[in-house]
Each structure stands twice: as structure tokens, then as C-alpha cells.
Amino acid sequence: MFKLCGLQFLLVIQWAMCQNLGDLNLAGPLKDMNFTIPEGAGVRPIYQFISETPVIFRATGEKDGIIDVVPKTGMLYLNGSLDWETKAVHRLQVECLDENGDVVKGPYAVTIYVEDINDNPPKFDQTSYTGVVRQNSRAGKPFMYVHATDLDDPTTPHAQLTYSILHHFPNPYSEMLFQIDSTTGAISPSRTGSFYLDPQKQDTFTLVVAVKDMAGMTENAFTSSADVIIDVKESLWKAPPTIYIQENSTETHPVNISQVHSNEADVIYELFEKEALARFPFSIDRNGVIYVTEPLDREKKDSYSFFAVTKDSVGELVDKPLQIQVIVKDINDNPPVCENALTVFEVQENEGGGSTIGTLHATDMDEKDTLNSRLKFSIESQVPAVPASNMFIVQQDTGTLQLRSSSLNKQIAANYSLKVMVTDADFQTICEVQVHVIDINDQIPIFEKSDYHNVTVAESIPVGTVILEIQATDTDEPDTGSSYIVYQVEEGDPNHKFIIETDPETNRGFVKINKALDFETDKVHNLVINATNPEPLVSGVQYNASSRTLFKVFVTNMDEPPIFQQPVYTANVSEDIPVNTLVVKAEAYDPEGDTVRYSLEGDVKKWLKIDSTTGNIYTASALDREYKELYEVDIVASETKNGAQRSKIPLILHLKDVNDNPPQLVMDYPTFFCYPLRGGEKALIQATDVDGYVYFPRITFSLGDDKDTKNNWEISKVNGTYAHLSPKHGNFEEKVYIVPVIINDNGNPSLENKVNLEVKVCQCSSENSCYIKLQHENSKPSVGQAIGILLGVLLVIGAIIGGVFFHMKYKQKNEKKSQQKDAKDQTECVELNK
């Protein structure tokens, strides 16, 4: 598109004025009209409006500097090219004016429709594409799409696109392994590809995909291309990438967070906890979609690890368990916090511009190294605002406060109060800062003594003990950085065994023990101590010998216990290692050079022994992981000359499991069937294995090979620890049957156990439990049993008769005594009456 100007424009107007388009039917009276003009046509007349009376024509509206009308002739013309992509329709109003400028006709609507031409090539929305296809994917099933757009009119063939594959790298077969839908851009395996794609042979392919406009029907169509890189993968069953979940989510739970896909259909998905959590906040549905079931709290737990497993209909694992990792993402729910309620800095009045005054410190409790905890600093106000309102600047990301220029004058302002705003992504906090302008530092600290001589301490002196007090003085302005004294050990302490703290009120220094002393390493410490100020000295003033002092520390020897080379010993051993196998070598030394002897404590199982001279620890008896997987004992090192000087550290044995225990049947409940059998009965039996297993135990069940067992019983697996025992027919008597059951574990090598399982066939109560004694094959008693029963009955009868006889005799005797007493009482009464 362009506009004509200058001489070109005048020539066009002159040409338009001189033209008579009436003979071409391109002229006529002023009225509402529509025109269709192809884009890019350039300068040209469109139509000439004719009036019977002299008038002036005027056009208004969407002329866009390209469309206009010649006032005298009424010629509607273009002075440049139209562009459909810029504007598809131009709407104008044309009217006639008299010589006074009054409208005498119109306005009439003139609409110019721009006709699109094919002047834009199609363009892919990406310069290259990547996709993943699975081995043995179904032919014709799209696994990815490419997409292109065309700026031309979509209602015309100019923007009708077709896709094709130009090249295929590599292409080891006569037919292409991939195909593309010419209309949608969907890429899928071809029939050949569905059969031959194999990541072991070729795991990456590059396709050159082309797109044409004009529906690909003409050689003049525009074409573009893009590379498509395709990775061939073996299995759908793979762990998803680490899942990130924002804490304290307000979404409605459960929320879909990921999905796993099995290589087989109709599997059962389950989640297996790696940690024993009081509440496990995840679930999985039958399609392998993993959900978080409740909002998570990063402050309580910031990550989770668990397994996704697939099982078949009988509970067997189908795929190898996948480990799922979940990270709980922090949200910005903590504002910045000033480290101090008031931060005070000092600066000398002679400091130059750009000098660092100090650093304002603030913290944010949100996750470190994230935007939630990123802090920015800015100065909100300065009081007083003299001699200028912007005396200080603060580094946005560090909080470092600097002088803007060397304009500080204590006579003008001795103190400045600053309000510094500290912000994170959502919150802001104001930190208070005071800057004290102090006098120049032109005096050095001077020690009261140039030599503090010496002190003698034992090597066992506790850390933090004060061993000396020192004093220096500074005559600069009190309570400023120019007069405050910092004491440091300048020489003689490369390992920082000593530290000096200053009393801020008196500038008195306290020399303390910072690290444990060692007579064997250093018997004497010749210390050189200096005294300096936090504020820099003015130019021309330097610290000298008056700011230094000497001090010696003599260390006396103490009898110390042996020291082990490491704080704890660990060893990973298999539980089946032979006796006398070396497990670990303990090493200790005595600081005074005495010989060290080794021993063990806490070896309750007597599994270990130690060479008292070398510290080598061996197995003394067979180990057993099933008793203790982590076995801990103490290694003791003592001096040979003084056994009271001893040290002790732990030894932790991690016992690795071997398959040394056959599985066992659980006999917590009897196995029985109700008589008579009706068919379809099943009894559940369970087996356990005390050996370790990966994720789930796998125990197989089978029956003995004897003919009776095979004819009468069958066994079917339920899952890794349970099976069903079933009778094959209903012709069983009421008695106890011995069924040989063989159980095998999945160890390497596998261990087998043959168990004779007692199975009762009995009459059952309404609660389906046996209630009669089963051993009753002889329904009639023997002769001996009959005689015994008869004698027992006779004895019972005799006892009854004897009891009756005794009772009668006792009753008669009591009646006789009662009669005699009554007669005596009567006689006494008669005598009394007399």
C-alpha cells in the first residue's frame, strides 16, 4: 500500500479530470453503491459520479488516505493499493455541494469491498515440532498434530491449506512409517509403522512436513515447511515427572494431579504408601488418574513419595511399581519482616559519595530462593530533608544503604530518620533506619599495655572461658563507630582457637576460648592482638604499634581418652555371611600416645567379636535379619595404662535379607466343610513368610502329588498370600482328612514347605461351625465298654439307695431324741407347779 504525492498525485488528478468513463458504464448519478476491488491493484479510477447541474463532490469516511473523489468531475479513484489483510471493507459517504458549500444531494453510502489475492504464504505456528509415539501404536491413530495459518481470506482457496510429508529421515523401509492427514495435520503411524516401529532399532525420526495454500491444487501455491522430530518409546507405563502442588489450595477436592497408564487393559490401579502416614492424602481411580484428596500444608510436610501399582483380577502385580514424587509448592503468605525494629548506622561527615553506610536486613518466611521470598528495598522518606531530600540511596535487591554525594554536615543534621519499604511479590513492610552523622575518625585506639605477658591453661579448659581482659582507649567522639574498639588476634592463631569480645560500654576486651585447645598440637600460642575501629580512619592517619599488644598462652597436658577416627561406624552385610567374616575396622588413637585396646558392649546376641589390638570386628555367630534388621552395638576404645580413660561410639549393622525361611501356613483357625457337601464350597487358607519381600509377598500354593489328594481336592490362588481349598466332589464322610499342601516363596532360590493340613468334614450348627465329635466309626460299644457302663450304673443306684437308708435312720434318731426332751420338759413343768 502506498500514497502518491507531489507531481505524481497531480498527474493522476489531471488524468481523472480529463477522463470520460461514461462509455465504459463506469459513470452515473450519485446514489448508494458497492464496489469490489482486488487488493494490490495500485492507482486507478473506480467510478465517475455525474450531476446535471454544476456541483462540487465531497467524500468522507474511511478513505484511509487511499480513496477520494475529484471535487469538480466526481471521479472516485484510488491513489494507492488496497490491502485486504489491513482492511477488508471501506465505508464512505459521497455528497454534492453547491458553490456556497451547502449540501444539495446526499450523502450516499459508497462501500468498497477489498477482494483478497493470494499474497501470504502459510506459516507453521512452530519452527519445529516434537512428538512421542509408542511401539505398536494403532495405525491411523494420531499421536500429534501440526498446525499452520494463512493470513489470506479463509473463505477463499487462498487460505485453504493441505499438509504432506516431504521427507522421512531415516526411512529404512520402502513405505513411510508415518502419515499425515492433509486437512487436519494429524500425524499417525502408517500400517507399516504400526508393525515396524521399534525403539531398539531406531528411537528417533525426523519428518519434513510441508503445508500448501490454494488447497494444493495449483503449482503457484505458496509452501512452507517445518521439521517434526518423533521419539519412539517402548512402554506407556512410566513414572510421571515430579508433581508440584500448591499448598492450601482452595479448589474442590479431590483434584486430578497426574495419570499413569498400564501396558495392559483391565488392570486395577492402587497406590502403595512408602511412608506410614496417619492420613494419606492421595488416591487413584480405575483409569490411573491420581488425585490429591485434600489441601496440603507445606509447613507440615513439603514432599511425598509413594508407589503406583497395577494388579490383575486376582491381586497379582502386573507392572513394576512406579515411584511418584510430589512436591508441595509454597505460596506467598508471609510478609517481609525487618530484622530489627530500628536499624542504626553511623557515617562520618567526610565520607565521599557512593560510600556504603551499611546493609538493612529483612527476612521472609516463605520458601527460600523463590519469588515469594525475594525482597526489594526502596526509601520512602528522609527526615530531615536537608541539605537535600535524597541524601541516601538503597540498593534495590541487597538493602545496602549508600551516600548519594559527599554533602553530610553534622552541623546541619546530626541524625537522619529513614523509612525503607521492603516488599515481596504481594506484601510490603516499612523498616525504620537511623543514620548518625559522626565526627571524623582521626584518633587510633591505644592499648594500656604493650604486653600482657602470659597465662597458663589446661588443654581441657571449656570453650567460652575468659582467660584475659584487655583495655584500649580511643579519644574520638564517644558512642560512635569512630571510638568503638574491635579487638582481633592478628597473629599466632591460624585455627581461630581464641575470640575477643568487646564490652560496648567500656571498650574492654575479653579474650575467650573459641575452640578446644590441644597440648599435643600447640603447647604455646604467641598472640598478637590489634585494636581497630569500625569506621575508617581519615586520610593520613594509620594504626601503629600503640594499637597492638602481645600475649602468650601456655597449654598444659591432660590425660584424654582415646579419639575415634569417625563418630559412627556402619556396615551393610548379608545375614548369611560366614562366621569370622571381617565386618568393619575401628580405629582410635590416644592423644598422649598410649596404646589403645578395643572391646564391644551391647552385643546381646553375641553375633560379633573384636580384636582388642587391631579393632577389627568379625562375625562370631550366624546373623539373623528376622530377629533384628538394624543391629547396634558399642565399640569401646580405652587406654591400656588407664582403663578409666575410654571412649565409646556406635556400630550399626544393616542386615540384608536372604531367603532362608520357608513360608508357613497360618493355623489360627480350623479348616472344615459342613456335611453333607453340596458343591462349590471353598475354604480360605493363608501363608506368611518372615523373610523380606519387595512391595508385596508372592507365595504359590499347590497340592501333594498323591492320587487321593489329586482326586479329592483342588487349590486356587487368591492373591500373594491367600488361596482357596475346594473339594472336587461331595462324597466325603464325616471325619478328619489330611491334605498335603505345598507352599513356595518367590525368593532366589525359592524355598518350599510341605504342610499336612487337617481338614474336618462335620455336621454344622446354624452358625456354620462343627458341633459333634468326628471320631465315631464304631457305633456299638465293645464288651469291656458295656461291662464298665453296667458297673457304673449299679454303683450309682447303690449310692442312691444307701443315701436314702442313711437319711431314714438319721430321721428316726432325731425323732426319738425329740420325744425324750418333750417328756423331760413336761416333768419340769409339773415340779414347778407344785
Side-chain angles (χ1 to χ4, degrees):
M1 182 188 302
F2 63 92
K3 289 181 62 177
L4 293 178
C5 56
L7 181 61
Q8 278 187 309
F9 180 74
L10 293 174
L11 291 174
V12 170
I13 297 300
Q14 180 65 30
W15 173 82
M17 293 175 63
C18 298
Q19 295 296 313
N20 186 352
L21 304 179
D23 297 336
L24 301 175
N25 296 322
L26 295 179
L30 181 61
K31 60 180 179 179
D32 292 340
M33 299 193 72
N34 295 331
F35 301 96
T36 299
I37 301 174
E39 64 174 330
V43 178
R44 57 169 291 176
I46 302 173
Y47 191 83
Q48 186 173 13
F49 297 108
I50 299 173
S51 176
E52 296 177 355
T53 61
V55 295
I56 298 172
F57 292 90
R58 181 173 68 183
T60 59
E62 299 172 351
K63 298 189 293 181
D64 295 331
I66 303 173
I67 310 168
D68 211 339
V69 65
V70 178
K72 293 184 178 181
T73 65
M75 178 67 67
L76 184 67
Y77 66 94
L78 296 178
N79 68 0
S81 293
L82 299 175
D83 185 12
W84 181 89
E85 288 75 25
T86 302
K87 197 163 192 174
V89 180
H90 295 262
R91 304 182 189 279
L92 292 81
Q93 295 79 39
V94 179
E95 54 193 359
C96 295
L97 309 176
D98 60 17
E99 59 184 5
N100 297 321
D102 296 326
V103 177
V104 297
K105 190 175 184 180
Y108 288 93
V110 176
T111 303
I112 298 176
Y113 294 94
V114 183
E115 182 181 17
D116 181 55
I117 64 173
N118 190 25
D119 58 350
N120 289 285
K123 184 178 181 181
F124 282 101
D125 57 7
Q126 296 178 211
T127 57
S128 64
Y129 296 83
T130 59
V132 175
V133 64
R134 301 288 171 180
Q135 186 178 12
N136 301 323
S137 293
R138 182 156 48 95
K141 182 179 180 181
F143 61 87
M144 68 175 296
Y145 289 81
V146 295
H147 182 259
T149 55
D150 194 307
L151 296 178
D152 289 319
D153 188 352
T155 62
T156 67
H158 304 158
Q160 292 182 10
L161 307 181
T162 58
Y163 299 92
S164 62
I165 298 176
L166 292 181
H167 302 290
H168 185 306
F169 306 106
N171 188 14
Y173 304 101
S174 58
E175 298 181 19
M176 283 194 176
L177 301 180
F178 300 95
Q179 58 192 15
I180 189 169
D181 188 296
S182 62
T183 303
T184 65
I187 299 176
S188 61
S190 64
R191 290 186 178 274
T192 304
S194 179
F195 184 79
Y196 285 110
L197 282 175
D198 184 352
Q200 300 300 322
K201 296 179 180 178
Q202 181 68 39
D203 61 357
T204 304
F205 292 88
T206 299
L207 307 183
V208 179
V209 176
V211 59
K212 285 186 177 183
D213 59 16
M214 299 300 292
M217 302 299 292
T218 173
E219 293 182 357
N220 295 328
F222 290 113
T223 302
S224 296
S225 63
D227 287 352
V228 178
I229 301 172
I230 300 173
D231 291 329
V232 183
K233 301 295 184 182
E234 288 186 356
S235 173
L236 285 171
W237 182 245
K238 64 176 182 178
T242 300
I243 302 167
Y244 293 88
I245 301 176
Q246 184 171 290
E247 67 170 328
N248 301 324
S249 171
T250 57
E251 293 184 79
T252 302
H253 287 75
V255 176
N256 180 341
I257 57 173
S258 189
Q259 187 173 13
V260 292
H261 300 274
S262 175
N263 289 316
E264 297 186 19
D266 303 323
V267 298
I268 300 169
Y269 292 93
E270 293 183 3
L271 296 182
F272 174 68
E273 293 184 55
K274 186 178 181 181
E275 307 165 279
L277 301 176
R279 187 178 180 88
F280 185 62
F282 301 96
S283 65
I284 191 169
D285 67 12
R286 62 182 182 179
N287 297 315
V289 178
I290 302 174
Y291 299 90
V292 58
T293 57
E294 61 188 44
L296 305 180
D297 186 349
R298 179 183 168 273
E299 283 66 38
K300 291 183 178 178
K301 189 169 178 61
D302 60 3
S303 64
Y304 294 84
S305 181
F306 52 91
F307 292 92
V309 297
T310 52
K311 296 181 180 180
D312 58 20
S313 58
V314 297
E316 284 292 295
L317 287 175
V318 174
D319 300 296
K320 182 179 179 182
L322 296 180
Q323 187 168 6
I324 311 297
Q325 297 285 351
V326 175
I327 302 296
V328 185
K329 291 175 59 179
D330 182 49
I331 62 173
N332 191 17
D333 52 358
N334 291 283
V337 177
C338 307
E339 189 173 277
N340 299 301
L342 176 64
T343 301
V344 179
F345 297 123
E346 293 180 347
V347 57
Q348 296 183 46
E349 60 180 343
N350 67 332
E351 288 284 354
S355 298
T356 297
I357 300 174
T359 300
L360 176 64
H361 295 285
T363 58
D364 194 306
M365 296 301 294
D366 290 313
E367 185 177 358
K368 290 183 179 181
D369 301 323
T370 67
L371 292 178
N372 292 340
S373 60
R374 180 191 179 187
L375 302 183
K376 295 183 178 181
F377 300 81
S378 61
I379 297 176
E380 289 294 297
S381 66
Q382 170 196 309
V383 177
V386 293
S389 60
N390 58 346
M391 299 291 294
F392 307 93
I393 59 175
V394 65
Q395 296 296 324
Q396 175 181 278
D397 293 306
T398 64
T400 300
L401 192 66
Q402 294 176 293
L403 277 176
R404 184 178 294 274
S405 63
S406 55
S407 301
L408 292 178
N409 189 325
K410 189 176 180 181
Q411 301 301 321
I412 297 176
N415 296 286
Y416 290 91
S417 295
L418 306 179
K419 292 186 182 296
V420 179
M421 179 178 290
V422 187
T423 61
D424 62 15
D426 299 302
F427 299 96
Q428 61 184 33
T429 300
I430 295 294
C431 293
E432 301 286 343
V433 178
Q434 279 193 2
V435 180
H436 295 169
V437 182
I438 63 175
D439 195 9
I440 59 174
N441 187 14
D442 57 356
Q443 300 294 320
I444 64 172
I446 299 175
F447 274 103
E448 63 178 7
K449 295 179 182 180
S450 62
D451 191 336
Y452 280 87
H453 303 297
N454 60 73
V455 67
T456 300
V457 297
E459 64 177 336
S460 60
I461 186 171
V463 171
T465 302
V466 176
I467 62 173
L468 178 69
E469 294 184 16
I470 57 178
Q471 182 71 61
T473 57
D474 192 309
T475 58
D476 281 313
E477 182 181 353
D479 302 323
T480 68
S482 296
S483 61
Y484 180 78
I485 299 176
V486 177
Y487 298 99
Q488 292 177 315
V489 179
E490 184 177 299
E491 297 177 14
D493 186 24
N495 297 317
H496 308 291
K497 299 276 185 159
F498 305 93
I499 190 171
I500 307 175
E501 296 178 356
T502 304
D503 183 338
E505 299 294 331
T506 64
N507 268 342
R508 194 164 186 80
F510 300 89
V511 183
K512 294 183 177 182
I513 302 297
N514 188 46
K515 295 180 181 178
L517 303 181
D518 185 6
F519 173 83
E520 288 71 27
T521 303
D522 294 296
K523 298 178 177 62
V524 181
H525 297 270
N526 294 299
L527 306 181
V528 177
I529 300 173
N530 65 27
T532 59
N533 303 128
E535 288 293 332
L537 295 171
V538 297
S539 177
V541 178
Q542 295 182 347
Y543 297 106
N544 55 37
S546 299
S547 300
R548 292 183 181 86
T549 190
L550 305 179
F551 178 51
K552 284 186 179 182
V553 179
F554 293 99
V555 182
T556 60
N557 189 28
M558 299 292 293
D559 189 10
E560 301 168 276
I563 299 173
F564 281 95
Q565 298 286 6
Q566 55 192 70
V568 63
Y569 285 90
T570 60
N572 297 299
V573 297
S574 178
E575 64 174 326
D576 64 342
I577 61 174
V579 174
N580 293 322
T581 298
L582 177 64
V583 174
V584 72
K585 179 179 177 61
E587 292 184 277
Y589 69 93
D590 183 67
E592 288 72 41
D594 194 4
T595 306
V596 175
R597 296 185 63 83
Y598 300 92
S599 60
L600 295 177
E601 290 183 359
D603 185 13
V604 295
K605 296 296 291 182
K606 306 300 180 185
W607 283 351
L608 303 171
K609 60 184 179 180
I610 189 169
D611 187 309
S612 61
T613 303
T614 65
N616 290 340
I617 300 175
Y618 304 88
T619 54
S621 60
L623 308 179
D624 185 4
R625 186 204 67 88
E626 285 68 42
Y627 170 78
K628 200 82 169 179
E629 184 173 356
L630 291 178
Y631 189 66
E632 183 172 340
V633 300
D634 289 322
I635 308 173
V636 179
S638 56
E639 296 179 3
T640 55
K641 294 179 180 179
N642 183 7
Q645 291 289 7
R646 61 202 305 266
S647 299
K648 182 166 58 176
I649 61 167
L651 164 64
I652 301 174
L653 285 186
H654 295 257
L655 300 184
K656 294 184 291 185
D657 185 50
V658 296
N659 195 29
D660 56 352
N661 292 280
Q664 303 290 331
L665 276 184
V666 178
M667 300 294 189
D668 294 342
Y669 48 88
T671 303
F672 68 93
F673 294 97
C674 293
Y675 180 86
L677 276 70
R678 294 177 174 82
E681 292 91 345
K682 293 181 179 179
L684 190 67
I685 59 176
Q686 180 187 4
T688 61
D689 192 331
V690 296
D691 286 318
Y693 49 82
V694 180
Y695 308 114
F696 298 99
R698 290 188 179 183
I699 298 175
T700 57
F701 299 81
S702 60
L703 296 173
D705 290 332
D706 60 285
K707 184 177 180 181
D708 288 342
T709 301
K710 295 293 186 183
N711 291 337
N712 294 330
W713 307 95
E714 61 183 354
I715 197 166
S716 59
K717 188 174 184 179
V718 175
N719 55 32
T721 55
Y722 286 89
H724 280 137
L725 179 69
S726 307
K728 281 190 171 182
H729 55 78
N731 301 324
F732 287 88
E733 301 177 7
E734 291 184 66
K735 68 174 186 178
V736 176
Y737 292 86
I738 303 300
V739 181
V741 178
I742 300 171
I743 47 179
N744 296 79
D745 61 24
N746 63 332
N748 186 19
S750 175
L751 294 183
E752 179 179 287
N753 189 16
K754 183 175 182 180
V755 181
N756 289 324
L757 179 64
E758 288 190 358
V759 180
K760 297 179 182 179
V761 177
C762 58
Q763 293 190 24
C764 295
S765 65
S766 59
E767 288 80 17
N768 286 332
S769 60
C770 292
Y771 72 93
I772 64 169
K773 188 175 180 180
L774 297 178
Q775 299 289 353
H776 61 286
E777 287 88 347
N778 300 319
S779 58
K780 295 181 180 180
S782 63
V783 175
Q785 291 173 333
I787 294 174
I789 294 171
L790 181 59
L791 289 174
V793 172
L794 291 176
L795 286 173
V796 173
I797 294 173
I800 294 172
I801 294 173
V804 173
F805 178 76
F806 177 78
H807 178 71
M808 292 176 65
K809 293 291 288 181
Y810 179 75
K811 184 177 182 183
Q812 290 174 358
K813 184 177 180 180
N814 286 341
E815 288 176 350
K816 185 176 180 180
K817 288 181 178 180
S818 178
Q819 291 174 358
Q820 291 175 350
K821 183 178 180 182
D822 291 341
K824 183 179 179 180
D825 292 340
Q826 290 176 1
T827 301
E828 291 176 351
C829 290
V830 171
E831 290 177 351
L832 289 173
N833 291 331
K834 289 180 178 180

